[in-house]
Amino acid sequence: MQAFPPDPVRFNRIVWDIVRQIPPGVVSTYGQIASMIPSPAGVAPEDYARLGPVWVGKAMNQVSAADPADIPWQRVINSQGGISLPEGSRAAREQRARLEREGVMFDARDRVDLRRFGWDGPDAGWLADRGLLPPRSLRPPSESASEQMRLL
DNA sequence: CGTTTGACTACGC
DNA sequence: CGCGTAGCCAAAC
């Protein structure tokens, strides 16, 4: 996979801070979280675009070594709307159970509809205070007209 | 010690 | 759409 960020401790702290902002009933993705963190000094933006999501994954992998009770780790899934933990593992089942308990629904392919349950990111002020960037949207505003009608 | 293995995503078929 | 791959390295085996 990939190298660690220049300052893993700091990077992880930022990731966990952001994850703590995700409210129940919605989900974020590794990529969306990475999109809120400026590429660290010394890392080219094009490299960060590729490495960031992986680093977020590593940060999530280390939550158990941090403060699991304080971090809603279950609300971070992959860009396909799926759970990235090993299929069938206890951890994966736990994540799905936690999400379903919060009202997040999985389809027949075990995926979450990000247009419906995707997070819009933290409050803009919260981000600005920390020098973070607006998140990439998981719920593209320009859907087909019929889709918009359906959602209404 | 050499190999395998990752809580990823964008991109090209 | 789904599938394979690049990117590229520190740990765990």
Side-chain angles (χ1 to χ4, degrees):
Chain A
M1 248 178 175
Q2 318 295 332
F4 287 102
D7 185 346
V9 175
R10 177 179 146 74
F11 188 87
N12 288 353
R13 185 174 53 75
I14 296 172
V15 169
W16 296 330
D17 251 10
I18 293 172
V19 173
R20 270 190 279 262
Q21 307 307 310
I22 310 174
V26 299
V27 294
S28 183
T29 67
Y30 304 95
Q32 186 187 40
I33 289 170
S35 75
M36 298 181 222
I37 305 175
S39 67
V43 180
E46 58 267 32
D47 290 334
Y48 179 71
R50 170 168 52 77
L51 299 169
V54 180
W55 293 344
V56 171
K58 284 184 171 296
M60 295 314 295
N61 189 31
Q62 293 174 72
V63 161
S64 53
D67 194 350
D70 192 36
I71 302 173
W73 56 268
Q74 71 273 19
R75 297 177 196 149
V76 184
I77 60 180
N78 65 38
S79 64
Q80 308 310 303
I83 286 174
S84 285
L85 288 164
E87 190 176 341
S89 67
R90 186 199 160 187
R93 288 196 301 273
E94 170 73 12
Q95 182 171 21
R96 175 164 177 157
R98 284 182 178 225
L99 287 174
E100 290 181 325
R101 205 177 306 148
E102 296 178 353
V104 174
M105 291 160 57
F106 287 76
D107 64 20
R109 286 177 301 178
D110 300 322
R111 298 205 304 202
V112 174
D113 184 355
L114 294 178
R115 287 182 312 203
R116 182 173 170 194
F117 295 105
W119 186 37
D120 288 324
D123 179 76
W126 187 93
L127 286 170
D129 288 345
R130 285 153 238 274
L132 299 176
L133 308 168
R136 192 183 69 214
S137 177
L138 297 179
R139 313 188 308 113
S142 58
E143 268 310 316
S144 71
S146 61
E147 180 67 12
Q148 297 225 2
M149 292 304 289
R150 192 187 66 75
L151 293 175
L152 291 174

